[in-house]
Amino acid sequence: NQTFGAEFIFLGLFQYGQMNTILFVAITVIFSVALMGNIILIHLIRLDTLLHTPMYFLFSQLSFIDMMYISTTVPKMATNFLSVSKTITFLGCEIQSFLFLTLGGTEALLLGFLSYDRYIAICHPLHYPVLMSKTICLSMVTCAWASSSINALIHTLYVFQLPFCRSRIVNHFFCEVPSLLPLVCQDTSQYEYTVLFSSLIILLLPFITILASYARVLIVVYQMSSGKGQTKAISTCSSHLMVASLFYGTALSTYTRPHSLHYPGEDKVVAVFYSIVTPLLNPFIYSLRNKEVMGAMSKLWEKADI
């Protein structure tokens, strides 16, 4: 009972018509700042040879993902503030869902790999060149992209072959699997177990890995005699934990609950954190709290002045 020509209608983040222009300007500014922050971080890592390390390679991948991640949802969301129809085609919704799941899953896995990188660097520094070689780094990134893409493809193909009811009103600001399930005209409780299983592997497992890695890191750090080493390690790990907690906490609250326990107003606010706030904060947390990145930026400014 649906075709590729059918359309979904978004209710949007807010439903206050008189604020649409203000919201459009605000979200456009946030989008621009997020893009520029991630582009600058990637540029710095590419130019400064001191940042050509496994950790910064993973950071650059994360920034690239964040640029694509926020670009998947925000442009359509911003134009809808000024649009009367607020629609998206069936195919457009399918593509948006696939990209969002792929990029979100890849980010979740990469954050886990970053914690492994810090664990090896601090707890087993002599083995670091072997355990975090270029080949292993590339394998990690390839694994993250491939597994997330396959997971996203399976969920997207399954959800969009389900029978949707006559109402195509999506109480959200983008096409996300949990927000589409209430529109399906059949019982989806069994499928929701599949969503839960995927979430436990792609979200919860990396988050547990991060907590376990940093618990071990903190023990080792406090055994260090060097105050400078303690400060550097704690600074790097704390910035990573800030992003990880925000991202995993909000994403898990959305993807581990059955749709009967979802509340659209709450879901939309929570989605803002893992789809917009995290890509915005990532480059600034990694740069402003990182002396090496700030040093690379200073050198770039000095060259520009010359």
Side-chain angles (χ1 to χ4, degrees), residues 9 39 120 130 145 162 172 297 305:
I9 302 170
I39 288 171
I120 298 298
V130 176
W145 277 102
L162 292 172
H172 213 312
M297 188 174 291
D305 291 337

Side-chain angles (χ1 to χ4, degrees), residues 153-169:
L153 184 62
I154 292 171
H155 284 288
T156 303
L157 291 177
Y158 180 80
V159 169
F160 283 88
Q161 59 82 38
L162 292 172
F164 288 98
C165 302
R166 287 183 178 274
S167 174
R168 295 296 181 90
I169 299 174

Side-chain angles (χ1 to χ4, degrees), residues 93-305:
C93 188
E94 193 169 10
I95 292 171
Q96 189 180 56
S97 296
F98 171 73
L99 291 175
F100 188 80
L101 286 174
T102 298
L103 296 167
T106 306
E107 175 150 351
L109 294 173
L110 278 181
L111 286 171
F113 290 142
L114 271 167
S115 70
Y116 170 77
D117 173 86
R118 291 301 83 202
Y119 166 74
I120 298 298
I122 294 170
C123 300
H124 304 284
L126 297 179
H127 297 125
Y128 186 79
V130 176
L131 296 177
M132 285 302 295
S133 65
K134 185 177 180 179
T135 302
I136 291 176
C137 260
L138 289 172
S139 299
M140 285 180 172
V141 172
T142 302
C143 176
W145 277 102
S147 56
S148 297
S149 298
I150 293 170
N151 176 70
L153 184 62
I154 292 171
H155 284 288
T156 303
L157 291 177
Y158 180 80
V159 169
F160 283 88
Q161 59 82 38
L162 292 172
F164 288 98
C165 302
R166 287 183 178 274
S167 174
R168 295 296 181 90
I169 299 174
V170 181
N171 197 351
H172 213 312
F173 57 90
F174 67 97
C175 287
E176 188 175 26
V177 168
S179 67
L180 294 172
L181 291 183
L183 305 182
V184 176
C185 291
Q186 73 178 43
D187 180 28
T188 58
S189 57
Q190 293 299 314
Y191 168 67
E192 287 172 25
Y193 286 114
T194 307
V195 175
L196 175 62
F197 180 71
S198 297
S199 302
L200 293 178
I201 294 175
I202 291 180
L203 293 172
L204 188 59
L205 193 58
F207 191 39
I208 291 174
T209 302
I210 289 171
L211 295 178
S213 296
Y214 286 148
R216 178 58 183 163
V217 165
L218 287 175
I219 292 172
V220 172
V221 164
Y222 279 108
Q223 293 173 347
M224 290 181 178
S225 57
S226 169
K228 184 178 179 180
Q230 286 182 352
T231 304
K232 183 179 178 181
I234 291 174
S235 176
T236 302
C237 295
S238 63
S239 62
H240 187 187
L241 275 174
M242 285 170 60
V243 176
S245 299
L246 181 64
F247 178 77
Y248 289 109
T250 53
L252 281 167
S253 72
T254 296
Y255 285 90
T256 56
R257 287 182 295 164
H259 85 260
S260 59
L261 297 179
H262 279 269
Y263 304 98
E266 177 186 314
D267 289 345
K268 287 187 282 189
V269 173
V270 170
V272 167
F273 284 97
Y274 59 78
S275 65
I276 299 174
V277 176
T278 301
L280 172 66
L281 291 180
N282 276 349
F284 299 102
I285 288 176
Y286 293 143
S287 59
L288 295 178
R289 295 178 60 85
N290 193 303
K291 291 181 180 179
E292 292 170 336
V293 173
M294 293 304 293
M297 188 174 291
S298 298
K299 286 191 287 185
L300 189 63
W301 279 113
E302 288 173 6
K303 290 180 180 179
D305 291 337

